[in-house]
Amino acid sequence: MTMAFPQTSPERTAARHCPELLGAAPVMTELAPALSLIGERLTRGLAAGLARLSGGEPPIVRAGLPMDATLSSIAGEIEGLAAHSLMGMGASSLPILAIFDGAPVFRLVDRAFGGPGDVPDPLPDGFPLSAELLLSRIEGCVADALTSALAAARAPRPDHADDHRVRPLRRDTSLRQLDPFPASADVLTLSLEIEEPGIVPWSLTLALPTETLEAALAAPQHPVRQRRAASPDPSAEPFASMAMEVTAVLVDMHLGMTRLAGLRPGDVLPVAVARSVPLQVGGRTLASGTIGEIDDRVAVQVTHAF
């Protein structure tokens, strides 16, 4: 008996999915022009905010072109000391990252105290309290300007007035410890250059994951993909009794291969424990705290929970 089998093509037909189920998300080529327009609005708001901060004339603020990036490429472009500020947009605190190079911060602090704008050489490993206070005030200016610029990109609904409200969340000199968003996230960066009379121009960089930018725009032709239903209460069974391994990262240091290969018993490695110790579960930072002691045992006092 002879059986005939249908011939198959070597090329497989691509699967077709219902657009209503997938949702149409903006692509980079659409998000970049939108971010460029937001950048133009942002320059005006930031100039006014910095003028109120310094009590002088508004500086000239210019926005560069949006650039594709990843968390790894952002980290690779940072040289020396920098302050990384994580901000959250809306009730869900969608992440926005602001990066301030260390040298301009020290220059601004020196000017604020009547100096010529000197920068320590070499730069220290961290920022003094005066610089931290200045960074907090600049963060507030950036957050307010972002709120106005993002809100202007789309008229907010009356019942979603805080959709575009941007708030500073936390800041760290280590981008790895800050852990602002997943390393695989698609990101657009926007550089802002600030020029003031008698001061060397300085700049800051904003990094917005595409998820944040999509939510900010929420264009009718590109509806935001529906989020999953809220997760069950972690304090209820069966989740409440699950044991989770929590890691406190006391030291984050780098050793060259030669130094690592030459380690011997008795060698001393000088380390500095960070003031803010991240608490991680599965590689994700859930809280941070400070090191202390209780009942003759080392303990961590939680100062921030995310």
Side-chain angles (χ1 to χ4, degrees):
M1 181 175 62
T2 302
M3 299 183 65
F5 295 92
Q7 295 183 349
T8 58
S9 171
E11 296 184 359
R12 300 178 63 181
T13 303
R16 297 182 179 180
H17 301 283
C18 176
E20 288 76 14
L21 293 177
L22 292 178
V27 295
M28 283 289 190
T29 54
E30 298 173 83
L31 292 176
L35 181 57
S36 182
L37 182 58
I38 290 172
E40 294 179 10
R41 301 188 180 102
L42 179 60
T43 58
R44 295 190 290 269
L46 184 57
L50 292 175
R52 290 191 297 270
L53 180 62
S54 64
E57 294 294 323
I60 299 174
V61 182
R62 296 187 177 92
L65 294 176
M67 304 292 291
D68 296 353
T70 63
L71 198 58
S72 298
S73 66
I74 293 172
E77 293 178 359
I78 299 171
E79 297 181 1
L81 179 65
H84 310 285
S85 174
L86 177 61
M87 304 182 183
M89 185 193 76
S92 301
S93 292
L94 296 174
I96 298 174
L97 177 66
I99 304 171
F100 305 89
D101 288 335
V105 174
F106 279 100
R107 189 175 293 115
L108 291 172
V109 170
D110 190 65
R111 293 276 302 186
F113 283 90
D118 291 337
V119 178
D121 187 17
L123 288 176
D125 295 331
F127 291 103
L129 179 58
S130 56
E132 294 283 0
L133 293 175
L134 178 63
L135 281 168
S136 295
R137 299 181 68 184
I138 297 177
E139 280 177 350
C141 293
V142 174
D144 291 342
L146 273 170
T147 298
S148 299
L150 293 173
R154 178 180 68 94
R157 290 160 47 187
D159 56 340
H160 288 70
D162 285 341
D163 278 356
H164 303 98
R165 178 74 180 276
V166 178
R167 304 174 180 85
L169 299 178
R170 61 186 189 274
R171 182 173 64 249
D172 204 303
T173 55
S174 170
L175 188 58
R176 179 180 176 182
Q177 290 195 21
L178 185 67
D179 193 22
F181 37 75
S184 60
D186 293 326
V187 179
L188 283 173
T189 63
L190 185 69
S191 295
L192 299 171
E193 183 171 336
I194 297 93
E195 295 182 11
E196 300 181 67
I199 299 180
V200 177
W202 58 284
S203 63
L204 64 95
T205 301
L206 298 175
L208 291 84
T210 54
E211 180 185 9
T212 301
L213 198 51
E214 289 174 27
L217 297 174
Q221 65 271 27
H222 298 299
V224 178
R225 292 187 292 270
Q226 295 293 324
R227 295 183 177 272
R228 294 181 179 179
S231 301
D233 185 1
S235 62
E237 293 296 341
F239 306 102
S241 58
M242 292 178 61
M244 305 293 291
E245 180 179 346
V246 180
T247 303
V249 184
L250 299 183
V251 177
D252 184 10
M253 61 185 300
H254 300 274
L255 286 178
M257 182 60 71
T258 302
R259 183 74 176 96
L260 190 62
L263 289 178
R264 296 292 183 271
D267 288 353
V268 177
L269 299 177
V271 297
V273 177
R275 288 181 297 175
S276 179
V277 177
L279 300 179
Q280 298 180 344
V281 174
R284 298 288 297 179
T285 300
L286 301 182
S288 63
T290 55
I291 290 295
E293 182 179 339
I294 183 171
D295 296 333
D296 296 328
R297 300 179 65 183
V298 177
V300 177
Q301 182 178 20
V302 176
T303 55
H304 293 88
F306 316 122

